[in-house]
Amino acid sequence: MDMTQKAEIGLIGLGVMGSNLALNIAEKGHRIAVFNRTTARLGPFMREAGALADRIVPCETIEALAEAIRPPRPIIVMVQAGAAVDEQIRHLKPVLSRNDIIIDAGNANFHDTRRRFAELEGSGLTFIGMGVSGGEEGARHGPSIMVGGTSESYDRIEPTLTAISAKYEGEACSAWLGPDGAGHFVKTIHNGIEYADMQMIAEIYGMLRDGLGMQAKEIGAVFARWNEGRLNSFLIEITAKVLAADDPQTGRPVVDVILDRAGQKGTGKWSAIEAQTLGVPATAIEAAVAARVISSMKTERLAAEAAYGPATAGRVSKDIVDDLELALFAGKIAAYAQGFAVMAAASKEFGWNLPMPTIAKIWRAGCIIRSQFLGRIAEAFDRDSGVANLLMAPDFVAMMKEASPALRRVVAVSAEAGLPAPALSSALAYFDGYRQGRGTSNLIQAQRDFFGAHGFERIDADGAHHGPWSG
Ligand code: 6PG
């Protein structure tokens, strides 16, 4: 093969995300070489590529892949997160040469990404940990791309990433966010926020379905209406569409025939774990992860419902509908404030210097949590990128003042009716705790001192003190 005919970039892993990303890259005019461990996938993939097949070089072996790409080679690895990534790196190392870049585009745990950076150090190869969001559609037509690695390595692949990424009013939703695990960390928190967003939407759906007895299509219409307003977002849009869809087999609304047991692949849980490790409250995200776990305990839940009787639904008044939109918005503000606070803490801990306004900007299009709301967050961070918490950005203070009373009423009604709203109520509790100037931890301190002589600070004197308990 003539050097000019060589591919500019390679990709390993022709699963759904990898295939779509490869087609996206080819469509933007780049010649790409592809490899899949199960080589039988190559034929069908080339047929799916249609006219784009001209720009795609299918490779039967990893050696052929390396041979097909012009050095220094950028190679995207899009395989299942975990051991499969290490396996691909192991296979790639002997066939690559100095300055080649291995780009892990899966949903890696950022600790693994940091380890892989360390392991490749001194090998002459460069590593990039790249978060890609937007599901199948995004990968094919424009995802949001979160890059971690050296800025030099990013510069080398930037034109391709800019070309394939989503655009928000012409701005590419792709950016270099910091060294080593920064990109995968940000993607993990993106997913944690995604979990919270989805859970809060599901809780509101529960109020409409079980509290008000509404049918799927009616509920879908409510979400469709909300999508025209402040909640305008991809997740609200698809919620409306999902609720409107019928099951071809039974003719019933498809949501009504889906088992209420949610899957999860780990990124939500990682967000909660990292938040805990960093000492940042991310209660809405934690609640969303826990809710998925409870959802998976279907048999136990059925037994518990039989033991306790069903919740006393039906008590909810129709007036609540007006509050639900604002309640969801308030919950969303708290969840995003938590997610950004976790990223701020990680940025400090790992010395990443994460660019908060950029993160909000590259989430405005392409990714699963894309929304109008992220534009407001970007504006807030543009004004003051060091704001202690999104809840303290002036625009957000105003929004939260308007929306939090509705959240309070909705949480109260859900508690009264026995309808679970774990993410919304955690969001409210977080907000109430955060804004309470004098809390109740004085009592915790007294208890700690009583049983363990841990000492406490006084409001009227410096230093450590003990209470009069011993006598
Ligand atoms: C995205 C999604 C994507 C994937 C989630 C689903 O940003 O495109 O977040 O990464 O759909 O990982 O995660 P669960 O299977 O854990 O819900």
Side-chain angles (χ1 to χ4, degrees):
M1 190 188 284
D2 165 15
M3 278 308 254
T4 55
Q5 279 300 296
K6 287 217 173 195
E8 298 152 55
I9 190 163
L11 183 139
I12 296 178
L14 292 173
V16 178
M17 291 296 283
S19 300
N20 282 310
L21 210 58
L23 295 176
N24 185 355
I25 292 171
E27 191 172 65
K28 300 299 170 330
H30 301 278
R31 199 166 164 76
I32 179 165
V34 298
F35 169 75
N36 194 60
R37 199 171 51 173
T38 311
T39 48
R41 170 82 186 109
L42 287 172
F45 172 70
M46 292 305 282
R47 281 192 291 281
E48 284 160 31
L52 294 174
D54 280 357
R55 298 194 195 122
I56 302 174
V57 189
C59 304
E60 300 251 336
T61 63
I62 205 132
E63 289 80 9
L65 178 82
E67 181 55 30
I69 310 164
R70 186 170 49 232
R73 311 167 177 88
I75 299 184
I76 297 174
V77 178
M78 189 56 121
V79 298
Q80 208 186 348
V85 176
D86 292 308
E87 188 190 320
Q88 290 306 331
I89 295 175
R90 213 170 31 251
H91 291 156
L92 274 171
K93 270 172 91 171
V95 300
L96 296 185
S97 40
R98 218 182 152 65
N99 291 329
D100 287 354
I101 309 177
I102 300 176
I103 304 156
D104 175 13
N107 272 333
N109 185 310
F110 88 107
H111 290 295
D112 285 337
T113 306
R114 282 166 66 83
R115 169 180 56 78
R116 290 174 186 133
F117 264 91
E119 286 170 358
L120 283 173
E121 196 153 341
S123 69
L125 300 177
T126 305
F127 193 63
I128 281 183
M130 181 169 101
V132 177
S133 177
E136 228 173 293
E137 256 315 280
R140 179 66 186 85
H141 298 292
S144 171
I145 302 177
M146 295 147 254
V147 180
T150 64
S151 64
E152 297 76 34
S153 58
Y154 176 69
D155 289 345
R156 282 169 52 200
I157 55 169
E158 182 275 324
T160 313
L161 298 185
T162 296
I164 64 166
S165 70
K167 308 291 176 303
Y168 180 85
E169 293 177 357
E171 272 181 68
C173 291
S174 166
W176 174 71
L177 301 177
D180 57 75
H184 277 145
F185 188 90
V186 171
K187 176 65 202 319
T188 296
I189 300 304
H190 165 283
N191 282 26
I193 294 173
E194 171 186 308
Y195 271 53
D197 250 340
M198 292 168 74
Q199 176 60 27
M200 291 189 293
I201 292 172
E203 289 170 14
I204 297 288
Y205 157 69
M207 306 260 324
L208 293 166
R209 185 190 68 180
D210 303 329
L212 292 171
M214 286 169 68
Q215 299 301 308
K217 286 202 172 51
E218 297 174 81
I219 303 174
V222 171
F223 278 102
R225 194 174 72 237
W226 289 346
N227 196 41
E228 304 298 315
R230 70 183 90 212
L231 287 174
N232 175 269
S233 61
F234 173 70
L235 283 171
I236 296 288
E237 179 193 329
I238 65 162
T239 302
K241 287 184 178 159
V242 159
L243 286 161
D246 286 326
D247 171 41
Q249 282 172 42
T250 59
R252 297 174 59 193
V254 74
V255 284
D256 292 348
V257 300
I258 297 177
L259 194 62
D260 53 334
R261 199 153 64 183
Q264 51 176 318
K265 290 196 282 291
T267 45
K269 184 172 79 180
W270 296 344
S271 295
I273 290 172
E274 296 311 328
Q276 289 278 0
T277 307
L278 291 160
V280 179
T283 52
I285 297 172
E286 286 168 9
V289 176
R292 286 204 194 184
V293 177
I294 292 183
S295 86
S296 72
M297 298 153 62
K298 178 76 176 173
T299 318
E300 273 181 70
R301 285 192 288 119
L302 286 170
E305 185 176 89
Y308 287 98
T312 49
R315 283 208 211 142
V316 177
S317 137
K318 274 227 169 313
D319 301 341
I320 196 76
V321 178
D322 293 335
D323 272 341
L324 294 176
E325 179 185 12
L326 265 181
L328 188 48
F329 190 64
K332 206 174 155 86
I333 293 174
Y336 281 66
Q338 294 178 353
F340 275 91
V342 177
M343 290 191 288
S347 182
K348 234 191 231 160
E349 173 75 16
F350 300 105
W352 286 333
N353 202 13
L354 291 178
M356 298 303 167
T358 306
I359 294 171
K361 283 178 190 161
I362 63 172
W363 285 354
R364 288 176 303 181
C367 68
I368 301 296
I369 63 171
R370 62 186 182 261
S371 65
Q372 210 185 66
F373 177 64
L374 274 155
R376 307 294 298 269
I377 298 182
E379 282 163 20
F381 281 123
D382 260 340
R383 235 166 265 143
D384 178 6
S385 69
V387 65
N389 184 300
L390 207 50
L391 285 172
M392 293 308 292
D395 282 359
F396 282 78
V397 172
M399 285 189 262
M400 204 55 179
K401 276 188 176 165
E402 185 196 353
S404 60
L407 176 60
R408 191 173 307 288
R409 287 190 292 271
V410 165
V411 168
V413 167
S414 70
E416 184 66 22
L419 296 170
L424 288 168
S425 48
S426 315
L428 177 65
Y430 170 75
F431 171 64
D432 283 340
Y434 187 72
R435 63 168 243 185
Q436 188 179 37
R438 170 131 174 107
T440 54
S441 297
N442 47 325
L443 183 63
I444 308 273
Q445 286 298 79
Q447 291 164 331
R448 290 177 68 242
D449 190 55
F450 187 101
F451 63 63
H454 295 289
F456 53 76
E457 296 166 300
R458 292 184 62 97
I459 56 170
D460 53 5
D462 288 340
H465 301 268
H466 293 284
W469 344 108
S470 49

PDB file of all heavy atoms in Angstrom, residues 17 106-107 131-136 138-139 143-144 146 187 190-192 194-195 198 262-269 292 366-369, ligand 1:
ATOM      1  N   MET A  17     -20.757   0.976  19.638  1.00  0.00           N
ATOM      2  CA  MET A  17     -20.121   2.292  19.748  1.00  0.00           C
ATOM      3  C   MET A  17     -18.942   2.408  18.791  1.00  0.00           C
ATOM      4  O   MET A  17     -18.779   3.416  18.100  1.00  0.00           O
ATOM      5  CB  MET A  17     -19.656   2.545  21.192  1.00  0.00           C
ATOM      6  CG  MET A  17     -20.771   2.733  22.180  1.00  0.00           C
ATOM      7  SD  MET A  17     -21.769   4.204  21.862  1.00  0.00           S
ATOM      8  CE  MET A  17     -20.685   5.495  22.506  1.00  0.00           C
ATOM      9  N   GLY A 106     -13.448   3.885  25.845  1.00  0.00           N
ATOM     10  CA  GLY A 106     -14.546   3.235  26.581  1.00  0.00           C
ATOM     11  C   GLY A 106     -14.836   3.959  27.890  1.00  0.00           C
ATOM     12  O   GLY A 106     -14.210   4.970  28.213  1.00  0.00           O
ATOM     13  N   ASN A 107     -15.798   3.408  28.644  1.00  0.00           N
ATOM     14  CA  ASN A 107     -16.141   3.998  29.942  1.00  0.00           C
ATOM     15  C   ASN A 107     -15.216   3.440  31.016  1.00  0.00           C
ATOM     16  O   ASN A 107     -15.635   2.717  31.922  1.00  0.00           O
ATOM     17  CB  ASN A 107     -17.585   3.658  30.309  1.00  0.00           C
ATOM     18  CG  ASN A 107     -18.559   4.667  29.749  1.00  0.00           C
ATOM     19  OD1 ASN A 107     -18.220   5.829  29.538  1.00  0.00           O
ATOM     20  ND2 ASN A 107     -19.785   4.225  29.515  1.00  0.00           N
ATOM     21  N   GLY A 131     -13.376  10.012  27.328  1.00  0.00           N
ATOM     22  CA  GLY A 131     -14.789   9.730  27.575  1.00  0.00           C
ATOM     23  C   GLY A 131     -15.594  10.137  26.351  1.00  0.00           C
ATOM     24  O   GLY A 131     -15.378  11.219  25.801  1.00  0.00           O
ATOM     25  N   VAL A 132     -16.507   9.255  25.933  1.00  0.00           N
ATOM     26  CA  VAL A 132     -17.349   9.545  24.770  1.00  0.00           C
ATOM     27  C   VAL A 132     -18.799   9.358  25.201  1.00  0.00           C
ATOM     28  O   VAL A 132     -19.158   8.293  25.688  1.00  0.00           O
ATOM     29  CB  VAL A 132     -17.034   8.584  23.597  1.00  0.00           C
ATOM     30  CG1 VAL A 132     -17.967   8.845  22.419  1.00  0.00           C
ATOM     31  CG2 VAL A 132     -15.581   8.725  23.161  1.00  0.00           C
ATOM     32  N   SER A 133     -19.594  10.378  25.035  1.00  0.00           N
ATOM     33  CA  SER A 133     -20.998  10.245  25.424  1.00  0.00           C
ATOM     34  C   SER A 133     -21.923  10.552  24.267  1.00  0.00           C
ATOM     35  O   SER A 133     -21.614  11.376  23.415  1.00  0.00           O
ATOM     36  CB  SER A 133     -21.331  11.176  26.581  1.00  0.00           C
ATOM     37  OG  SER A 133     -22.718  11.068  26.869  1.00  0.00           O
ATOM     38  N   GLY A 134     -23.061   9.878  24.282  1.00  0.00           N
ATOM     39  CA  GLY A 134     -24.085  10.160  23.285  1.00  0.00           C
ATOM     40  C   GLY A 134     -24.719   8.900  22.747  1.00  0.00           C
ATOM     41  O   GLY A 134     -25.542   8.952  21.836  1.00  0.00           O
ATOM     42  N   GLY A 135     -24.300   7.769  23.316  1.00  0.00           N
ATOM     43  CA  GLY A 135     -24.866   6.496  22.882  1.00  0.00           C
ATOM     44  C   GLY A 135     -24.566   6.248  21.415  1.00  0.00           C
ATOM     45  O   GLY A 135     -23.668   6.865  20.827  1.00  0.00           O
ATOM     46  N   GLU A 136     -25.370   5.351  20.850  1.00  0.00           N
ATOM     47  CA  GLU A 136     -25.201   4.919  19.464  1.00  0.00           C
ATOM     48  C   GLU A 136     -25.297   6.087  18.472  1.00  0.00           C
ATOM     49  O   GLU A 136     -24.428   6.275  17.624  1.00  0.00           O
ATOM     50  CB  GLU A 136     -26.404   4.008  19.185  1.00  0.00           C
ATOM     51  CG  GLU A 136     -26.118   2.715  18.543  1.00  0.00           C
ATOM     52  CD  GLU A 136     -27.394   1.897  18.522  1.00  0.00           C
ATOM     53  OE1 GLU A 136     -27.865   1.493  19.615  1.00  0.00           O
ATOM     54  OE2 GLU A 136     -27.921   1.680  17.436  1.00  0.00           O
ATOM     55  N   GLY A 138     -25.052   9.283  19.036  1.00  0.00           N
ATOM     56  CA  GLY A 138     -23.984  10.267  19.247  1.00  0.00           C
ATOM     57  C   GLY A 138     -22.694   9.813  18.585  1.00  0.00           C
ATOM     58  O   GLY A 138     -22.033  10.580  17.881  1.00  0.00           O
ATOM     59  N   ALA A 139     -22.347   8.544  18.802  1.00  0.00           N
ATOM     60  CA  ALA A 139     -21.108   8.031  18.222  1.00  0.00           C
ATOM     61  C   ALA A 139     -21.147   8.171  16.701  1.00  0.00           C
ATOM     62  O   ALA A 139     -20.163   8.533  16.061  1.00  0.00           O
ATOM     63  CB  ALA A 139     -20.918   6.569  18.611  1.00  0.00           C
ATOM     64  N   PRO A 143     -20.722  12.829  19.027  1.00  0.00           N
ATOM     65  CA  PRO A 143     -20.753  12.670  20.484  1.00  0.00           C
ATOM     66  C   PRO A 143     -20.129  13.869  21.182  1.00  0.00           C
ATOM     67  O   PRO A 143     -19.561  14.755  20.539  1.00  0.00           O
ATOM     68  CB  PRO A 143     -19.871  11.438  20.697  1.00  0.00           C
ATOM     69  CG  PRO A 143     -18.871  11.489  19.581  1.00  0.00           C
ATOM     70  CD  PRO A 143     -19.535  12.186  18.428  1.00  0.00           C
ATOM     71  N   SER A 144     -20.226  13.857  22.502  1.00  0.00           N
ATOM     72  CA  SER A 144     -19.478  14.798  23.325  1.00  0.00           C
ATOM     73  C   SER A 144     -18.218  14.040  23.760  1.00  0.00           C
ATOM     74  O   SER A 144     -18.292  12.876  24.145  1.00  0.00           O
ATOM     75  CB  SER A 144     -20.348  15.179  24.524  1.00  0.00           C
ATOM     76  OG  SER A 144     -19.610  15.910  25.450  1.00  0.00           O
ATOM     77  N   MET A 146     -14.591  13.871  25.934  1.00  0.00           N
ATOM     78  CA  MET A 146     -13.874  14.392  27.106  1.00  0.00           C
ATOM     79  C   MET A 146     -12.489  13.754  27.163  1.00  0.00           C
ATOM     80  O   MET A 146     -12.386  12.562  27.433  1.00  0.00           O
ATOM     81  CB  MET A 146     -14.679  14.038  28.372  1.00  0.00           C
ATOM     82  CG  MET A 146     -16.030  14.712  28.436  1.00  0.00           C
ATOM     83  SD  MET A 146     -17.307  13.677  29.259  1.00  0.00           S
ATOM     84  CE  MET A 146     -18.287  13.161  27.831  1.00  0.00           C
ATOM     85  N   LYS A 187     -16.141  11.892  32.499  1.00  0.00           N
ATOM     86  CA  LYS A 187     -17.182  11.045  31.895  1.00  0.00           C
ATOM     87  C   LYS A 187     -17.933  10.263  32.974  1.00  0.00           C
ATOM     88  O   LYS A 187     -19.152  10.089  32.908  1.00  0.00           O
ATOM     89  CB  LYS A 187     -16.570  10.081  30.860  1.00  0.00           C
ATOM     90  CG  LYS A 187     -17.574   9.094  30.255  1.00  0.00           C
ATOM     91  CD  LYS A 187     -18.635   9.798  29.436  1.00  0.00           C
ATOM     92  CE  LYS A 187     -19.942   9.091  29.197  1.00  0.00           C
ATOM     93  NZ  LYS A 187     -20.047   7.721  28.910  1.00  0.00           N
ATOM     94  N   HIS A 190     -20.267  12.599  34.571  1.00  0.00           N
ATOM     95  CA  HIS A 190     -21.365  12.792  33.601  1.00  0.00           C
ATOM     96  C   HIS A 190     -22.393  11.673  33.795  1.00  0.00           C
ATOM     97  O   HIS A 190     -23.598  11.918  33.863  1.00  0.00           O
ATOM     98  CB  HIS A 190     -20.810  12.780  32.169  1.00  0.00           C
ATOM     99  CG  HIS A 190     -21.871  12.604  31.112  1.00  0.00           C
ATOM    100  ND1 HIS A 190     -22.447  11.382  30.830  1.00  0.00           N
ATOM    101  CD2 HIS A 190     -22.486  13.495  30.296  1.00  0.00           C
ATOM    102  CE1 HIS A 190     -23.361  11.537  29.882  1.00  0.00           C
ATOM    103  NE2 HIS A 190     -23.396  12.806  29.541  1.00  0.00           N
ATOM    104  N   ASN A 191     -21.916  10.451  33.882  1.00  0.00           N
ATOM    105  CA  ASN A 191     -22.836   9.328  34.024  1.00  0.00           C
ATOM    106  C   ASN A 191     -23.530   9.330  35.379  1.00  0.00           C
ATOM    107  O   ASN A 191     -24.693   8.959  35.484  1.00  0.00           O
ATOM    108  CB  ASN A 191     -22.091   8.004  33.805  1.00  0.00           C
ATOM    109  CG  ASN A 191     -21.864   7.730  32.326  1.00  0.00           C
ATOM    110  OD1 ASN A 191     -21.815   8.659  31.526  1.00  0.00           O
ATOM    111  ND2 ASN A 191     -21.700   6.475  31.959  1.00  0.00           N
ATOM    112  N   GLY A 192     -22.806   9.758  36.431  1.00  0.00           N
ATOM    113  CA  GLY A 192     -23.442   9.854  37.747  1.00  0.00           C
ATOM    114  C   GLY A 192     -24.598  10.844  37.694  1.00  0.00           C
ATOM    115  O   GLY A 192     -25.698  10.578  38.204  1.00  0.00           O
ATOM    116  N   GLU A 194     -26.172  11.651  35.020  1.00  0.00           N
ATOM    117  CA  GLU A 194     -27.173  10.981  34.161  1.00  0.00           C
ATOM    118  C   GLU A 194     -28.075  10.062  35.012  1.00  0.00           C
ATOM    119  O   GLU A 194     -29.291  10.064  34.866  1.00  0.00           O
ATOM    120  CB  GLU A 194     -26.408  10.187  33.092  1.00  0.00           C
ATOM    121  CG  GLU A 194     -27.221   9.260  32.221  1.00  0.00           C
ATOM    122  CD  GLU A 194     -26.295   8.414  31.295  1.00  0.00           C
ATOM    123  OE1 GLU A 194     -25.451   9.010  30.595  1.00  0.00           O
ATOM    124  OE2 GLU A 194     -26.424   7.178  31.286  1.00  0.00           O
ATOM    125  N   TYR A 195     -27.459   9.317  35.914  1.00  0.00           N
ATOM    126  CA  TYR A 195     -28.234   8.439  36.805  1.00  0.00           C
ATOM    127  C   TYR A 195     -29.227   9.272  37.633  1.00  0.00           C
ATOM    128  O   TYR A 195     -30.381   8.896  37.796  1.00  0.00           O
ATOM    129  CB  TYR A 195     -27.306   7.703  37.781  1.00  0.00           C
ATOM    130  CG  TYR A 195     -26.742   6.377  37.307  1.00  0.00           C
ATOM    131  CD1 TYR A 195     -26.075   6.261  36.096  1.00  0.00           C
ATOM    132  CD2 TYR A 195     -26.841   5.238  38.103  1.00  0.00           C
ATOM    133  CE1 TYR A 195     -25.519   5.052  35.696  1.00  0.00           C
ATOM    134  CE2 TYR A 195     -26.298   4.021  37.708  1.00  0.00           C
ATOM    135  CZ  TYR A 195     -25.626   3.930  36.506  1.00  0.00           C
ATOM    136  OH  TYR A 195     -25.083   2.732  36.127  1.00  0.00           O
ATOM    137  N   MET A 198     -32.056  10.671  35.467  1.00  0.00           N
ATOM    138  CA  MET A 198     -33.005   9.625  35.068  1.00  0.00           C
ATOM    139  C   MET A 198     -33.857   9.174  36.253  1.00  0.00           C
ATOM    140  O   MET A 198     -35.065   8.955  36.122  1.00  0.00           O
ATOM    141  CB  MET A 198     -32.242   8.417  34.488  1.00  0.00           C
ATOM    142  CG  MET A 198     -31.581   8.724  33.158  1.00  0.00           C
ATOM    143  SD  MET A 198     -30.411   7.439  32.656  1.00  0.00           S
ATOM    144  CE  MET A 198     -31.514   6.126  32.170  1.00  0.00           C
ATOM    145  N   ALA A 262     -33.799  -2.181  36.944  1.00  0.00           N
ATOM    146  CA  ALA A 262     -32.844  -1.419  36.125  1.00  0.00           C
ATOM    147  C   ALA A 262     -31.457  -2.050  36.141  1.00  0.00           C
ATOM    148  O   ALA A 262     -30.999  -2.525  37.178  1.00  0.00           O
ATOM    149  CB  ALA A 262     -32.760   0.016  36.625  1.00  0.00           C
ATOM    150  N   GLY A 263     -30.817  -2.028  34.992  1.00  0.00           N
ATOM    151  CA  GLY A 263     -29.433  -2.513  34.908  1.00  0.00           C
ATOM    152  C   GLY A 263     -28.461  -1.394  35.222  1.00  0.00           C
ATOM    153  O   GLY A 263     -28.851  -0.234  35.352  1.00  0.00           O
ATOM    154  N   GLN A 264     -27.228  -1.735  35.396  1.00  0.00           N
ATOM    155  CA  GLN A 264     -26.190  -0.703  35.547  1.00  0.00           C
ATOM    156  C   GLN A 264     -24.835  -1.345  35.286  1.00  0.00           C
ATOM    157  O   GLN A 264     -24.600  -2.483  35.655  1.00  0.00           O
ATOM    158  CB  GLN A 264     -26.224  -0.047  36.921  1.00  0.00           C
ATOM    159  CG  GLN A 264     -26.223  -0.978  38.107  1.00  0.00           C
ATOM    160  CD  GLN A 264     -26.152  -0.198  39.414  1.00  0.00           C
ATOM    161  OE1 GLN A 264     -25.415   0.762  39.540  1.00  0.00           O
ATOM    162  NE2 GLN A 264     -26.922  -0.637  40.400  1.00  0.00           N
ATOM    163  N   LYS A 265     -23.979  -0.538  34.655  1.00  0.00           N
ATOM    164  CA  LYS A 265     -22.674  -1.098  34.310  1.00  0.00           C
ATOM    165  C   LYS A 265     -21.543  -0.573  35.198  1.00  0.00           C
ATOM    166  O   LYS A 265     -20.415  -1.005  35.030  1.00  0.00           O
ATOM    167  CB  LYS A 265     -22.372  -0.840  32.835  1.00  0.00           C
ATOM    168  CG  LYS A 265     -23.280  -1.687  31.914  1.00  0.00           C
ATOM    169  CD  LYS A 265     -22.781  -1.764  30.498  1.00  0.00           C
ATOM    170  CE  LYS A 265     -23.083  -0.514  29.717  1.00  0.00           C
ATOM    171  NZ  LYS A 265     -24.533  -0.333  29.456  1.00  0.00           N
ATOM    172  N   GLY A 266     -21.835   0.346  36.093  1.00  0.00           N
ATOM    173  CA  GLY A 266     -20.807   0.704  37.066  1.00  0.00           C
ATOM    174  C   GLY A 266     -20.417   2.165  37.186  1.00  0.00           C
ATOM    175  O   GLY A 266     -19.907   2.571  38.221  1.00  0.00           O
ATOM    176  N   THR A 267     -20.667   2.957  36.145  1.00  0.00           N
ATOM    177  CA  THR A 267     -20.175   4.341  36.228  1.00  0.00           C
ATOM    178  C   THR A 267     -20.902   5.170  37.290  1.00  0.00           C
ATOM    179  O   THR A 267     -20.296   6.048  37.911  1.00  0.00           O
ATOM    180  CB  THR A 267     -20.279   5.038  34.859  1.00  0.00           C
ATOM    181  OG1 THR A 267     -21.564   4.745  34.311  1.00  0.00           O
ATOM    182  CG2 THR A 267     -19.210   4.549  33.907  1.00  0.00           C
ATOM    183  N   GLY A 268     -22.196   4.883  37.496  1.00  0.00           N
ATOM    184  CA  GLY A 268     -22.932   5.617  38.536  1.00  0.00           C
ATOM    185  C   GLY A 268     -22.358   5.306  39.905  1.00  0.00           C
ATOM    186  O   GLY A 268     -22.097   6.198  40.726  1.00  0.00           O
ATOM    187  N   LYS A 269     -22.113   4.023  40.115  1.00  0.00           N
ATOM    188  CA  LYS A 269     -21.545   3.579  41.390  1.00  0.00           C
ATOM    189  C   LYS A 269     -20.153   4.198  41.581  1.00  0.00           C
ATOM    190  O   LYS A 269     -19.833   4.672  42.674  1.00  0.00           O
ATOM    191  CB  LYS A 269     -21.457   2.045  41.372  1.00  0.00           C
ATOM    192  CG  LYS A 269     -20.973   1.446  42.650  1.00  0.00           C
ATOM    193  CD  LYS A 269     -21.097  -0.067  42.627  1.00  0.00           C
ATOM    194  CE  LYS A 269     -19.957  -0.685  41.843  1.00  0.00           C
ATOM    195  NZ  LYS A 269     -20.041  -2.164  41.797  1.00  0.00           N
ATOM    196  N   ARG A 292     -31.474   1.990  41.817  1.00  0.00           N
ATOM    197  CA  ARG A 292     -31.331   0.921  40.808  1.00  0.00           C
ATOM    198  C   ARG A 292     -31.108  -0.421  41.504  1.00  0.00           C
ATOM    199  O   ARG A 292     -31.604  -1.457  41.061  1.00  0.00           O
ATOM    200  CB  ARG A 292     -30.155   1.217  39.866  1.00  0.00           C
ATOM    201  CG  ARG A 292     -30.485   2.315  38.883  1.00  0.00           C
ATOM    202  CD  ARG A 292     -29.630   2.221  37.640  1.00  0.00           C
ATOM    203  NE  ARG A 292     -29.729   3.461  36.886  1.00  0.00           N
ATOM    204  CZ  ARG A 292     -29.147   3.662  35.711  1.00  0.00           C
ATOM    205  NH1 ARG A 292     -28.420   2.723  35.157  1.00  0.00           N
ATOM    206  NH2 ARG A 292     -29.285   4.817  35.090  1.00  0.00           N
ATOM    207  N   GLY A 366     -24.632  16.590  22.124  1.00  0.00           N
ATOM    208  CA  GLY A 366     -23.975  15.296  21.887  1.00  0.00           C
ATOM    209  C   GLY A 366     -24.156  14.282  22.991  1.00  0.00           C
ATOM    210  O   GLY A 366     -24.372  13.112  22.725  1.00  0.00           O
ATOM    211  N   CYS A 367     -24.054  14.696  24.243  1.00  0.00           N
ATOM    212  CA  CYS A 367     -24.067  13.700  25.323  1.00  0.00           C
ATOM    213  C   CYS A 367     -25.484  13.418  25.813  1.00  0.00           C
ATOM    214  O   CYS A 367     -26.440  14.093  25.449  1.00  0.00           O
ATOM    215  CB  CYS A 367     -23.173  14.152  26.474  1.00  0.00           C
ATOM    216  SG  CYS A 367     -23.798  15.596  27.338  1.00  0.00           S
ATOM    217  N   ILE A 368     -25.590  12.419  26.669  1.00  0.00           N
ATOM    218  CA  ILE A 368     -26.910  11.985  27.150  1.00  0.00           C
ATOM    219  C   ILE A 368     -27.575  13.044  28.034  1.00  0.00           C
ATOM    220  O   ILE A 368     -28.787  13.179  28.042  1.00  0.00           O
ATOM    221  CB  ILE A 368     -26.776  10.647  27.937  1.00  0.00           C
ATOM    222  CG1 ILE A 368     -26.160   9.547  27.048  1.00  0.00           C
ATOM    223  CG2 ILE A 368     -28.120  10.186  28.501  1.00  0.00           C
ATOM    224  CD1 ILE A 368     -26.975   9.136  25.853  1.00  0.00           C
ATOM    225  N   ILE A 369     -26.790  13.820  28.775  1.00  0.00           N
ATOM    226  CA  ILE A 369     -27.424  14.813  29.666  1.00  0.00           C
ATOM    227  C   ILE A 369     -27.524  16.188  29.001  1.00  0.00           C
ATOM    228  O   ILE A 369     -27.759  17.195  29.680  1.00  0.00           O
ATOM    229  CB  ILE A 369     -26.699  14.912  31.042  1.00  0.00           C
ATOM    230  CG1 ILE A 369     -25.249  15.397  30.893  1.00  0.00           C
ATOM    231  CG2 ILE A 369     -26.746  13.579  31.769  1.00  0.00           C
ATOM    232  CD1 ILE A 369     -24.586  15.714  32.245  1.00  0.00           C
TER     233      ILE A 369
HETATM  234  C1  6PG B   1     -23.354   7.924  27.439  1.00  0.00           C
HETATM  235  C2  6PG B   1     -23.937   6.871  28.322  1.00  0.00           C
HETATM  236  C3  6PG B   1     -23.245   5.573  28.048  1.00  0.00           C
HETATM  237  C4  6PG B   1     -23.991   4.370  28.551  1.00  0.00           C
HETATM  238  C5  6PG B   1     -24.078   4.324  30.018  1.00  0.00           C
HETATM  239  C6  6PG B   1     -25.205   3.474  30.500  1.00  0.00           C
HETATM  240  O1  6PG B   1     -22.890   8.903  27.991  1.00  0.00           O
HETATM  241  O2  6PG B   1     -23.394   7.762  26.221  1.00  0.00           O
HETATM  242  O3  6PG B   1     -23.763   7.224  29.649  1.00  0.00           O
HETATM  243  O4  6PG B   1     -21.950   5.688  28.522  1.00  0.00           O
HETATM  244  O5  6PG B   1     -25.247   4.306  28.000  1.00  0.00           O
HETATM  245  O6  6PG B   1     -22.872   3.801  30.446  1.00  0.00           O
HETATM  246  O7  6PG B   1     -24.853   3.109  31.740  1.00  0.00           O
HETATM  247  P1  6PG B   1     -25.619   2.042  32.594  1.00  0.00           P
HETATM  248  O8  6PG B   1     -25.697   0.801  31.774  1.00  0.00           O
HETATM  249  O9  6PG B   1     -24.786   1.919  33.799  1.00  0.00           O
HETATM  250  O10 6PG B   1     -26.969   2.642  32.824  1.00  0.00           O
END
